[in-house]
Amino acid sequence: MWQSSPPGSIYDYIRVASFSIGADGLIEQWSRRAAGLFGMSSAEVVGRDPVEAFMPAELRPDAHRAVSEILDGKEWTGLVPFRIPGENAVRGLAEIYVMPSETETGERAALCIVVDVRALRRIETDLAASQAIFGQSPFGFVLFGTDFTVVRANKRFATVFGGEADDHRGRTVDDYLARPEAERLSSTLRRVLETGDAVTDLQLVGTPPGTTGRRHWSMNLYRVHSGAGRPVGIAGLATDVTQRHIAAREAASARRNLALLNEASARIGNSLDLETTARELLDVAVPGFCDLASVDLYQGLLTGEEASPASWGRHHQESGTGSAELRRVAHASAVSDALPEVFAAGTGSCAEGAGDTGPPALGSVHRYPFHSPCAVALRTGRVEDVPGDERGFVHSTLAVPMVAHDVVVGLVQFSRTKGSESFGERDRALATELAARAAVCIDNARLYRREHERALILQRSLLPPGDPEAAGLDIACRYLPGNTATEVGGDWFDVIELPGHRTALVVGDVMGRGLRAAVAMGELRTAVRTLALLDLEPAEVLSALDEVARGLGTPGGGERSDGFGAGGGAQWPSRAAHKSREADLSEVYLATCVYAVYDPVTRRCTFANAGHLPPVVAEPGEPALLLDVPPGMPLGVGGEPFEEVEVELEEGALLALYTDGLVESRDHPLDEGLDAFRQALAEPSQPLEDVCDHVLTTLDTRHGEDDIALLMARIQGLAPDAVGDWRLPRELRSVGRARELAREQLTAWDLDDLVDTTELLVSELVTNALRYGEGEIRLRLLRDRTLVCEVWDAGLVQPRRRRARDTDEGGRGLQLVGLLSAAWGSRRTPRGKTVWFELALPDGAPAAELSVEQLLSMY
């Protein structure tokens, strides 16, 4: 077919020239290619002897003979050296093919075809190299023609796609790849042919004939040109990168798993709530790891059973009837909620545990059949595969036991729907790790909840039950624990009845949280009550309490030592003892406390403070004030004495003791809280319960950062007619005078039923004061909820009850007091001592008589 473009044949690559020799042996015709090869024009050559023109002198004799033979009609082929014009006499080597010819007149002539041997050698080298690369390459080599059919393929290409290399000639990309991939490759081939731009690392996916596995190839494409520069096809070099894809996918999976584990560490366990922890696990797993997931926990764990954790799942191991009861506490889904029936049908055989209605509902209690994968996983502590349902769209499920400290606490199921990859070994390992991390957090939450509940029980048991009652005081109290996210605190308050109708009011706060803080609070509260019964002064109570608090942080609760033994000289402590002491000292619990004693007869209140917030007093018609009570050091610090402040309170005044949780939070400084508290007490005349409620609703008490204790008392002193107070001279007739005064006072109070007993006991106490005491004698009768009789003298010797011998005439007075009174005792006073007894007021029933055993016990 005629065309104006270069022919594009082998002649484009090799230098072929021609010229002719006439019958006279001279050059007759000289082609343009010959002129280009030898560097001489036709004007310079035509008519000349070719031997003389081109051959070196030493070769000319042989050359003339060869030309003669040619002109005689003999064909000749050979290699002929020649001078290359313009190249400094460099010799070339030409392969000449001489064909005899005849002129029009029948004379002998010759046609010479000349090829530059250098060009031939280059072509041979290039063909050899091309054949070696094409044939021996470990990569698939293919050459597409301009019509995108295969022109040539190497053996490696044929090995992948079958047959021999020649069998692939004429095939198209549709014969190797599925439609989407084939269309993409065809489009790329067309673009490379049209633009000449090479394409590197074209990713293709296909399935070779006779195989089932998908392979990945990386293909480089570039346009191939003829010697004249015309495009003649597209060459493709294909590399199998399936293993690289697998490695990249595994690396991506490992990175994803590490990211999931990192996210799990950050997000799981932020709450100490069991259900919340389960939801945190699913928030991490769905959809990052699976499409559907659920968490079941043993019912015994959720109900707080005190049995050992191993017993929760023992039921199905022993009975063989199925798993122990579990509760579905969380589930999550990344698929459409519009397909509940499909979801129910695809959850696998474990769904049998909930009956025929599908998977268990959130919050429901269920069991798994004994031989189901879920029950096996719970029983063995190993991950089990749950078979999918062919009708459903969940095709891969893992039942993963939640194991913490070698104890199974529940089960988590991870599921993937159709379209997602099935779970592999790496996924099983990741699922086990996720479940284990959540299990540890759930077990920690269980332990915390148990400790928290015990601490709450302990704390509540140590607080006064109901509304405490006290003589001359109207009392209201409130206790608000921190929210459920915080631990139990060490706040406490107490109301303690003291002899003489006096009352001790106590509010304290152990620094710290948790069960140990609650226990420390309980020890301090018990110590306060014990010290109060000794009727010590407030400052003495706090000093003794400080010793108790310091003993809480040392081994055995004793006093701190420096590690030296007693009696045998210095003894260096062992390393273990040193570490133990350091650990114990690091757990020292400091506490603040305010201790007040109120006397309803004088309406005086004596305060002592150990680092606590100051009491608040609101008198009728006056703004609330902070009492200036020296704060002192907290309990447990030691080394500093405590001071006392005595304040006389008006009738109807309001006294408030509280802990810092009421007035301090992160959002409000202490000064603002105290000012707000004082303003909330602007109407102290309201009912006391209403005042408490008003304070709690006005202040920011819902921050949940600390417990709140509030103890409020309205001052109601004893009426003057409820007190009988006399001073008696130190003489024998004072005994009779004391009986007479007691009888008259009881008659005035309509307590005739108590006259005889009171006269007898008053006579005994006054007699003892005369016999063993010193100075003036004072007799005081107090009537409130009970009748109290007090006998004061200046002696320091405390009375001691003893058993009298048969021959003794005395020594039975205190025994009689103990038998006839409801309570009796003695206490020190600034100027001596006071001996007292207490009688219950008559309720209309006849008084109980002493039994024979009681009477005989005095003898």
Side-chain angles (χ1 to χ4, degrees):
M1 180 177 181
W2 295 95
Q3 58 184 13
S4 60
S5 60
S9 66
I10 188 64
Y11 298 106
D12 293 336
Y13 297 95
I14 61 176
R15 301 177 67 180
V16 179
S18 65
F19 63 89
S20 62
I21 301 175
D24 55 1
L26 302 179
I27 298 175
E28 258 184 2
Q29 294 179 335
W30 187 254
S31 68
R32 292 181 178 178
R33 286 183 178 265
L37 175 63
F38 294 103
M40 302 176 69
S41 64
S42 60
E44 296 176 303
V45 175
V46 173
R48 293 183 62 182
D49 185 344
V51 175
E52 296 295 331
F54 306 114
M55 300 295 291
E58 65 273 13
L59 298 178
R60 289 173 184 173
D62 293 336
H64 282 298
R65 284 195 300 272
V67 171
S68 299
E69 292 177 357
I70 293 171
L71 294 178
D72 288 340
K74 183 180 178 180
E75 291 187 0
W76 183 84
T77 302
L79 297 176
V80 178
F82 65 92
R83 298 191 305 272
I84 301 177
E87 297 188 12
N88 298 323
V90 175
R91 293 186 178 186
L93 186 65
E95 183 179 78
I96 301 178
Y97 176 43
V98 181
M99 295 178 291
S101 63
E102 293 181 357
T103 64
E104 296 178 353
T105 60
E107 294 179 308
R108 298 287 181 91
L111 177 64
C112 300
I113 305 297
V114 183
V115 178
D116 188 348
V117 174
R118 293 182 302 172
L120 289 177
R121 296 294 180 268
R122 285 196 299 269
I123 292 174
E124 289 176 355
T125 302
D126 291 345
L127 286 176
S130 175
Q131 182 63 30
I133 294 174
F134 199 85
Q136 301 173 18
S137 172
F139 308 113
F141 226 121
V142 61
L143 180 64
F144 295 96
T146 55
D147 59 352
F148 308 131
T149 60
V150 175
V151 175
R152 186 178 180 186
N154 69 350
K155 290 183 179 180
R156 176 60 180 167
F157 186 87
T159 301
V160 175
F161 291 98
E164 298 294 332
D166 292 339
D167 298 338
H168 292 272
R169 296 180 184 274
R171 292 184 180 180
T172 65
V173 294
D174 294 306
D175 296 321
Y176 304 106
L177 301 172
R179 179 175 296 276
E181 293 289 89
E183 292 177 352
R184 191 159 66 90
L185 179 56
S186 296
S187 175
T188 305
L189 290 172
R190 189 175 297 106
R191 185 172 70 253
V192 171
L193 183 63
E194 292 173 355
T195 65
D197 296 333
V199 172
T200 59
D201 198 22
L202 175 65
Q203 297 293 317
L204 298 173
V205 181
T207 304
T211 64
T212 57
R214 291 161 60 89
R215 309 295 294 179
H216 294 260
W217 295 282
S218 172
M219 199 165 193
N220 298 327
L221 300 171
Y222 56 93
R223 192 170 67 182
V224 179
H225 303 85
S226 68
R230 184 175 66 86
V232 295
I234 303 101
L237 178 64
T239 305
D240 191 331
V241 293
T242 304
Q243 293 301 321
R244 187 195 308 169
H245 268 265
I246 294 175
R249 186 172 59 193
E250 290 181 351
S253 176
R255 288 193 298 269
R256 182 200 64 186
N257 293 353
L258 289 175
L260 276 175
L261 290 177
N262 183 59
E263 184 180 6
S265 299
R267 298 181 60 181
I268 300 176
N270 293 322
S271 169
L272 289 174
D273 179 74
L274 297 173
E275 290 81 359
T276 302
T277 302
R279 288 192 296 270
E280 290 170 348
L281 167 62
L282 300 193
D283 289 341
V284 172
V286 179
F289 177 65
C290 61
D291 302 314
L292 306 167
S294 62
V295 177
D296 299 319
L297 297 179
Y298 277 122
Q299 181 71 352
L301 180 147
L302 295 169
T303 55
E305 293 180 5
E306 291 298 329
S308 63
S311 65
W312 294 329
R314 191 176 297 157
H315 168 79
H316 68 289
Q317 298 181 24
E318 296 176 350
S319 64
T321 58
S323 69
E325 288 187 342
L326 299 109
R327 186 192 304 174
R328 177 65 51 88
V329 296
H331 63 204
S333 171
V335 297
S336 174
D337 294 331
L339 301 172
E341 68 281 355
V342 178
F343 171 70
T347 52
S349 63
C350 278
E352 300 170 9
D356 298 331
T357 59
L362 184 65
S364 65
V365 178
H366 60 281
R367 299 178 186 269
Y368 288 115
F370 184 81
H371 295 291
S372 67
C374 292
V376 173
L378 288 169
R379 190 163 59 248
T380 62
R382 295 192 299 268
V383 180
E384 293 291 330
D385 292 307
V386 180
D389 191 336
E390 294 296 333
R391 300 171 299 168
F393 78 157
V394 174
H395 73 98
S396 183
T397 298
L398 295 178
V400 186
M402 306 178 73
V403 184
H405 309 299
D406 297 327
V407 174
V408 178
V409 299
L411 181 79
V412 57
Q413 294 183 67
F414 300 108
S415 300
R416 288 180 179 173
T417 59
K418 290 184 176 178
S420 301
E421 291 187 8
S422 299
F423 290 112
E425 287 303 317
R426 289 182 179 269
D427 296 321
R428 293 170 67 92
L430 176 61
T432 302
E433 181 65 23
L434 289 175
R437 295 195 178 198
V440 170
C441 294
I442 286 175
D443 193 53
N444 290 340
R446 175 186 67 85
L447 296 175
Y448 164 78
R449 184 179 66 179
R450 184 179 64 182
E451 178 179 344
H452 189 263
E453 290 175 351
R454 291 177 177 178
L456 284 176
I457 293 173
L458 173 63
Q459 192 174 41
R460 301 301 185 271
S461 66
L462 294 175
L463 296 175
D467 295 327
E469 295 182 355
L473 292 176
D474 181 15
I475 295 178
C477 52
R478 294 289 187 274
Y479 181 85
L480 297 180
N483 59 35
T484 56
T486 61
E487 297 183 29
V488 176
D491 294 14
W492 92 92
F493 66 91
D494 208 346
V495 178
I496 307 170
E497 294 186 46
L498 299 177
H501 288 313
R502 294 170 305 131
T503 303
L505 304 175
V506 189
V507 169
D509 184 3
V510 175
M511 299 179 188
R513 295 183 180 277
L515 184 59
R516 294 185 63 84
V519 170
M521 178 269 285
E523 293 189 40
L524 292 178
R525 178 181 180 273
T526 303
V528 169
R529 281 192 159 264
T530 302
L531 295 170
L533 293 178
L534 297 177
D535 214 352
L536 302 177
E537 295 298 324
E540 294 177 326
V541 171
L542 292 186
S543 295
L545 199 61
D546 177 65
E547 293 293 333
V548 174
R550 286 195 290 165
L552 295 179
T554 58
E559 296 183 355
R560 292 193 181 96
S561 66
D562 296 327
F564 294 94
Q571 295 179 355
W572 294 107
S574 66
R575 181 182 299 271
H578 181 69
K579 290 184 176 180
S580 175
R581 183 169 63 255
E582 286 184 348
D584 287 330
L585 292 178
S586 68
E587 296 177 352
V588 170
Y589 286 95
L590 302 179
T592 63
C593 180
V594 59
Y595 185 88
V597 176
Y598 171 68
D599 188 342
V601 179
T602 62
R603 293 201 313 277
R604 287 182 175 274
C605 192
T606 304
F607 297 92
N609 191 352
H612 202 78
L613 294 174
V616 176
V617 173
E619 295 185 343
E622 300 292 336
L625 299 175
L626 298 176
L627 289 181
D628 187 13
V629 180
M633 299 299 291
L635 301 176
V637 175
E640 293 294 332
F642 298 98
E643 299 183 35
E644 292 181 358
V645 172
E646 187 176 70
V647 179
E648 185 174 348
L649 303 173
E650 291 188 11
E651 185 76 17
L654 194 63
L655 174 63
L657 306 179
Y658 52 95
T659 57
D660 56 359
L662 180 68
V663 294
E664 187 178 20
S665 68
R666 295 179 182 177
D667 300 328
H668 303 286
L670 179 59
D671 291 342
E672 291 184 8
L674 290 173
D675 290 340
F677 183 31
R678 291 170 52 214
Q679 294 174 8
L681 298 176
E683 297 293 335
S685 59
Q686 294 181 352
L688 201 54
E689 294 290 338
D690 295 342
V691 175
C692 283
D693 293 337
H694 176 68
V695 168
L696 295 180
T697 55
T698 302
L699 302 183
D700 179 21
T701 59
R702 300 300 176 184
H703 51 73
E705 296 173 6
D706 198 1
D707 293 355
I708 295 173
L710 175 62
L711 177 60
M712 305 188 73
R714 176 169 285 124
I715 303 304
Q716 297 173 349
L718 290 182
D721 59 358
V723 179
D725 195 351
W726 307 275
R727 295 184 183 274
L728 302 173
R730 190 170 188 79
E731 53 188 32
L732 291 177
R733 62 186 181 90
S734 294
V735 178
R737 180 57 180 164
R739 287 196 299 266
E740 180 182 348
L741 291 172
R743 182 173 58 253
E744 291 174 356
Q745 186 63 67
L746 292 182
T747 302
W749 287 340
D750 294 328
L751 298 177
D752 296 333
D753 293 342
L754 299 181
V755 169
D756 293 339
T757 302
T758 304
E759 278 190 83
L760 175 60
L761 300 184
V762 166
S763 177
E764 290 293 338
L765 294 187
V766 172
T767 300
N768 283 344
L770 288 173
R771 181 175 297 178
Y772 305 109
E774 298 177 6
E776 187 181 34
I777 298 172
R778 181 182 176 187
L779 173 65
R780 188 168 74 170
L781 295 178
L782 306 176
R783 184 195 66 181
D784 193 69
R785 291 174 298 146
T786 61
L787 175 67
V788 173
C789 175
E790 297 176 329
V791 176
W792 306 43
D793 69 79
L796 298 178
V797 179
Q798 297 291 322
R800 182 173 60 87
R801 186 174 176 178
R802 63 185 179 85
R803 181 178 293 276
R805 294 191 296 269
D806 295 343
T807 57
D808 291 343
E809 294 182 1
R812 299 176 179 85
L814 292 181
Q815 293 189 41
L816 188 62
V817 173
L819 288 173
L820 297 179
S821 64
W824 79 279
S826 65
R827 67 178 184 275
R828 289 184 295 124
T829 62
R831 293 185 178 88
K833 67 176 180 298
T834 300
V835 183
W836 57 271
F837 67 84
E838 183 177 345
L839 296 175
L841 297 182
D843 55 3
E849 296 183 357
L850 295 177
S851 64
V852 176
E853 289 77 9
Q854 290 175 324
L855 293 174
L856 290 176
S857 66
M858 294 186 295
Y859 297 94

